[in-house]
Amino acid sequence: MSQEQAVPSRTGRRELNATLTVRRVMDGADVLCLSGILDTEGAAALGHELTAHLRAAGSNRRVILDLTGLRLLSAAGIHVLDTHTRHLSEHPVLVIVSTAHVREIFTVAPAPGLYVCPTLDAALAALPEIAPHRTVGTADGPEDQTDEDQTDEDQADDDLGTRTKARTSAVIGMAQGIVLERYALPGLQAAFDLLRETSRRHDVPLRVLASAVVTAPRPAGRSSGWFPDRPPTPPPSPELLDVPEQGAYDRRQLLRTLVHEVVAVADADGAEVHLTDQALGNSLVLESHSGLDAAYRDRVAQVGAPPAVCARARLLGRPVLVADVTTDPDLVATEVGRAASAAGSRALYAVPALAEDGACVGVITVHHARPGPWLTHVQLNALRNLANDLARWNSWYRRTVVLDALEHLHAQN
């Protein structure tokens, strides 16, 4: 971190339990440190202070908002931060977040005018590497990343909805910050390069690797590795998926095979597969699909709660049938319901993929162009078996392939 100028800190407005202090640093940035509890009244005061400092900074200085001293962030505080920075998507305000519940808020619902960093050092390091056109939710790496640098998964993400791409990019940014700080790397470019190299070497999608970095326990030390004494585990034998053992390591291909098998087994007009992501608050993230248009995919790219049928199945822990999207009381007046109808889907059937402990780790959803139940008992059983296959494979993949990738990343430093 660069040295501070000889300018005394000054205290801003004090409202109830929130205190704002300002520090000027030499890297062309003002650091606004917020501590305490940001409730409704404190949020209003923050809005005035933030507006004043943003105007004063102009185009010559950047504003960094340090929330590491914040114990509670209210909904009013989130709204103030969003509305007062939304116009700054080309030159976002850097936000330092350490508290778990605050970090989750910015991960699940990032604001376009904010760029999240784990430490002040990471924020200062990010200043020269944030391109003018980048925002917190659209950058997978430093500004000099070109289309040629994108992995297959980066390009595949274009098909999985702009909402999830924005939010998972925030997770990638958090992983960059963690790797930068943990291994004392020279900058975010080096952190991104390490993540990308590990992703390619182990064929683990970058966003999946980033999620693991963010959520895995901190390694105890270098000598014993990140996950010592981990026994090798062979991939599970699926009941219906006709894939060789080596195919279980290819995440993209296995999920593509799964969704096409689902369509064939269920005599469906479309299908989607979601998996949970711990770094995104255990939201369901669209991983593979068939026969669904872009507007619908964008609507279900990341699902946290009903009315989406996949979220209903997850919540209930059992299959859910929507006999007619256009008359279902929970869907008919919603955006996801209208998107499904516009995509030509009338009936939906969702099956949760349950782990051994009963937790839902994913959902398979099939679409039919005609309303009403259409699945036979044989087809229903086949879908349940495919969901079981998905749960077993996902558990093995996370405990084996992803952890192997984390071990490799750790061993490089």
Side-chain angles (χ1 to χ4, degrees):
M1 192 180 97
S2 58
Q3 295 179 345
E4 296 179 15
Q5 288 183 344
V7 176
S9 299
R10 65 180 180 87
T11 302
R13 293 175 180 261
R14 180 188 294 271
E15 295 286 347
L16 297 179
N17 297 315
T19 301
L20 180 69
T21 58
V22 181
R23 289 185 296 163
R24 179 163 294 177
V25 295
M26 295 182 65
D27 288 72
D30 293 328
V31 182
L32 281 61
C33 304
L34 191 66
S35 60
I37 298 174
L38 187 61
D39 53 17
T40 302
E41 294 184 50
L46 173 63
H48 292 298
E49 292 286 347
L50 190 56
T51 297
H53 286 288
L54 289 173
R55 287 176 178 171
S59 59
N60 296 324
R61 298 186 67 81
R62 297 293 292 276
V63 172
I64 300 175
L65 187 59
D66 187 349
L67 303 185
T68 56
L70 201 62
R71 301 193 306 275
L72 178 65
L73 177 60
S74 67
I78 299 168
H79 178 71
V80 164
L81 291 175
D82 184 18
T83 56
H84 285 73
T85 62
R86 181 169 290 274
H87 65 290
L88 298 172
S89 59
E90 294 187 355
H91 300 281
V93 173
L94 287 82
V95 182
I96 306 169
V97 177
S98 61
T99 306
H101 86 277
V102 178
R103 183 170 60 245
E104 181 174 334
I105 290 170
F106 287 108
T107 300
V108 174
L114 301 176
Y115 187 96
V116 178
C117 299
T119 65
L120 179 55
D121 284 346
L124 293 174
L127 283 176
E129 294 184 348
I130 298 179
H133 66 279
R134 285 177 48 188
T135 66
V136 63
T138 59
D140 284 355
E143 64 174 308
D144 61 352
Q145 183 186 2
T146 64
D147 291 340
E148 287 78 17
D149 290 328
Q150 288 185 324
T151 63
D152 291 340
E153 181 66 14
D154 295 328
Q155 296 167 358
D157 276 346
D158 292 336
D159 294 332
L160 298 183
T162 57
R163 288 175 176 82
T164 274
K165 189 173 183 183
R167 294 174 182 180
T168 55
S169 294
V171 176
I172 293 172
M174 291 175 64
Q176 282 180 259
I178 291 172
V179 170
L180 172 72
E181 179 185 29
R182 180 174 295 166
Y183 302 116
L185 299 179
L188 286 178
Q189 176 69 58
F192 181 78
D193 288 345
L194 178 58
L195 289 167
R196 181 173 56 181
E197 187 275 333
T198 302
S199 168
R200 289 175 172 173
R201 177 178 290 270
H202 288 267
D203 200 21
V204 174
L206 183 59
R207 60 189 176 85
V208 175
L209 177 64
S211 177
V213 170
V214 170
T215 58
R218 188 181 184 90
R222 298 291 180 86
S223 59
S224 60
W226 200 335
F227 306 96
D229 304 323
R230 191 164 48 92
T233 306
S237 300
E239 294 186 12
L240 292 183
L241 283 181
D242 185 19
V243 294
E245 179 175 309
Q246 190 60 33
Y249 291 85
D250 188 338
R251 186 178 190 273
R252 303 180 191 91
Q253 186 57 46
L254 185 137
L255 290 173
R256 291 191 191 106
T257 300
L258 172 65
V259 79
H260 291 305
E261 184 71 13
V262 165
V263 170
V265 163
D267 190 24
D269 297 295
E272 57 192 278
V273 175
H274 287 80
L275 292 174
T276 58
D277 190 321
Q278 188 177 352
L280 294 175
N282 278 323
S283 295
L284 290 167
V285 176
L286 181 63
E287 299 285 356
S288 189
H289 59 84
S290 177
L292 305 174
D293 67 16
Y296 176 79
R297 297 198 306 268
D298 188 53
R299 186 58 55 190
V300 298
Q302 182 180 332
V303 180
V309 66
C310 59
R312 286 197 234 171
R314 177 191 179 183
L315 182 65
L316 297 173
R318 58 175 174 78
V320 172
L321 169 69
V322 173
D324 192 343
V325 171
T326 63
T327 59
D328 183 82
D330 294 322
L331 280 179
V332 64
T334 67
E335 291 183 354
V336 66
R338 289 191 289 269
S341 180
S345 300
R346 290 292 298 275
L348 305 174
Y349 186 78
V351 186
L354 304 178
E356 292 182 357
D357 61 359
C360 180
V361 298
V363 179
I364 295 173
T365 306
V366 291
H367 296 238
H368 205 243
R370 294 183 298 278
W374 80 96
L375 296 164
T376 67
H377 288 296
V378 172
Q379 290 172 319
L380 292 172
N381 287 332
L383 287 176
R384 280 194 291 269
N385 287 334
L386 285 170
N388 290 335
D389 283 350
L390 175 63
R392 286 194 298 270
W393 168 83
N394 185 63
S395 176
W396 167 83
Y397 186 86
R398 288 181 175 180
R399 289 183 288 106
T400 304
V401 182
V402 174
L403 296 191
D404 285 345
L406 292 181
E407 288 280 21
H408 171 81
L409 184 150
H410 186 59
Q412 302 310 300
N413 297 278

